Amino acid sequence: MLRRSNIQINSGDLHDLDLRFPDGSTRHVSVKASRAAPPPSKLHEDSERQAADRRLYVTRHATSALRALAGSGEVDLIAVGDRLIIFDGRVFLDDPSHEPRSQQRPRRGSPPWVRWAIERLVVLGEPMTQADIAAALSTTQQSVSHALHGHAFAERTSSGWTTTRRVELLDAHLGEYPGPGGAVTYWYGLEPVVNQARAALTFCEEMQIETLQTGDVAADTYAPWRLPSTAAIYTSEFLDFVPAGFSPATADDYTLVAAVPADPTIWRTARAVSSTATALTDPIITLHDVLRSPGPDAEEAAERLRQPIISGTWRD
């Protein structure tokens, strides 16, 4: 929607954005994203708590109170379901007839990112103590204990937590895990996909942005089988990849997809299982993303990675 309005994301993450507008002006906004529009009491609370910050509310549908505040220029607004964008009281997009893509019904409550990360470590690694898991994931031993005690497929041994039911645990994890989430931008390049991934990674390193490769390119390192058809990366911040040789694209026509994930644990599990400096997501995140990659052979490509994970023979 921002791209349709010729509004460019210069930098930022899921909480703060630096935007450039069609007239060349720029703005820093603090992002408040929620499926349901905040009630007037919450809007008032935010205004008192963040008086100095410009607030951008991103929600499914805008209430009359939120529209009124945006119209007066007190806050900025993106209402995805309404196809409405308002900045500084100015309407940049108002297209209610344009139906957005259907989306999965969101999970209620906070996603159990830590439990899912623990499950990936249990599947992928040697037995780990509760303390080692907590250190690897930058969480508390209490959180680890809560996730593992009574778990259907994890068991405690003298060497640490492990599983003798790797297939069941992996399949249950893939069936429940919704993906790292966050926000995605799409790009198009002319070079071979592996070269595009390398160029994007190099650009991120130059910009000092933390990056992980995933999808086809990462799978090609773990379990080579098919020629990657698209490049996919996770970055800690949004980047404009035009200086790296890419053009803006859409979800229907892209060669590189860059996501700023909501799941903070993907960086930690990548470091925990990696034996090299290669910037790859862990094999289970990679498998999840390959299963959702374009191409008729995605499931077969995923199975080529799933088997080494189950047998414990994957290596980066």
Side-chain angles (χ1 to χ4, degrees):
M1 289 173 62
L2 288 171
R3 186 163 287 156
R4 287 186 63 207
S5 304
N6 295 316
I7 301 172
Q8 178 181 329
I9 298 176
N10 282 344
S11 62
D13 53 27
L14 299 179
H15 308 289
D16 294 275
L17 290 175
D18 289 308
L19 302 173
R20 179 179 294 276
F21 293 88
D23 63 2
S25 63
T26 59
R27 169 170 292 178
H28 176 85
V29 293
S30 175
V31 181
K32 305 286 186 182
S34 60
R35 183 172 179 84
S41 60
K42 183 64 168 61
L43 295 172
H44 179 69
E45 178 185 330
D46 288 347
S47 68
E48 291 189 333
R49 183 178 299 173
Q50 291 187 296
D53 290 341
R54 187 73 192 183
R55 288 166 290 143
L56 167 61
Y57 288 94
V58 182
T59 188
R60 191 70 180 166
H61 296 287
T63 60
S64 57
L66 189 52
R67 284 175 181 262
L69 283 177
S72 66
E74 294 181 54
V75 301
D76 299 324
L77 171 65
I78 299 178
V80 179
D82 301 327
R83 307 298 289 179
L84 175 67
I85 293 180
I86 302 176
F87 280 98
D88 200 22
R90 177 185 172 191
V91 176
F92 283 82
L93 178 67
D94 188 2
D95 186 14
S97 64
H98 184 97
E99 289 295 326
R101 291 169 173 267
S102 62
Q103 298 180 351
Q104 271 190 321
R105 183 177 296 275
R107 166 185 294 272
R108 293 187 179 274
S110 300
W113 300 125
V114 170
R115 173 171 65 81
W116 287 326
I118 291 170
E119 290 175 349
R120 297 199 300 274
L121 292 183
V122 169
V123 170
L124 292 170
E126 299 296 326
M128 297 178 69
T129 67
Q130 195 167 283
D132 288 340
I133 294 173
L137 298 179
S138 300
T139 190
T140 64
Q141 291 195 45
Q142 183 179 8
S143 296
V144 177
S145 176
H146 179 75
L148 286 174
H149 283 284
H151 196 288
F153 304 117
E155 58 190 75
R156 190 172 190 173
T157 68
S158 58
S159 302
W161 286 93
T162 188
T163 182
T164 56
R165 303 171 65 183
R166 187 174 285 169
V167 174
E168 292 97 326
L169 178 52
L170 177 61
D171 288 345
H173 178 86
L174 291 173
E176 183 186 13
Y177 184 65
V184 175
T185 57
Y186 299 95
W187 306 89
Y188 188 86
L190 299 175
E191 295 293 322
V193 168
V194 173
N195 291 355
Q196 291 187 40
R198 190 177 300 117
L201 186 62
T202 299
F203 181 66
C204 290
E205 289 175 347
E206 292 172 352
M207 300 298 291
Q208 298 182 324
I209 300 299
E210 190 173 8
T211 313
L212 292 172
Q213 295 186 66
T214 188
D216 289 352
V217 176
D220 193 52
T221 300
Y222 288 128
W225 182 69
R226 73 168 176 174
L227 187 67
S229 59
T230 57
I233 61 174
Y234 291 107
T235 62
S236 57
E237 297 181 26
F238 291 105
L239 279 177
D240 179 1
F241 285 92
V242 170
F246 294 89
S247 302
T250 69
D252 299 317
D253 182 21
Y254 71 93
T255 57
L256 169 71
V257 56
V260 177
D263 183 352
T265 69
I266 68 167
W267 313 98
R268 301 165 195 167
T269 55
R271 287 191 291 266
V273 305
S274 177
S275 60
T276 72
T278 306
L280 304 177
T281 52
D282 72 60
I284 296 178
I285 292 291
T286 302
L287 175 59
H288 174 278
D289 291 345
V290 169
L291 280 167
R292 288 152 183 79
S293 64
D297 58 349
E299 288 192 11
E300 188 174 357
E303 185 63 24
R304 298 283 177 157
L305 176 56
R306 183 176 179 273
Q307 289 306 317
I309 291 174
I310 291 171
S311 64
T313 58
W314 66 271
R315 286 295 177 265
D316 61 354

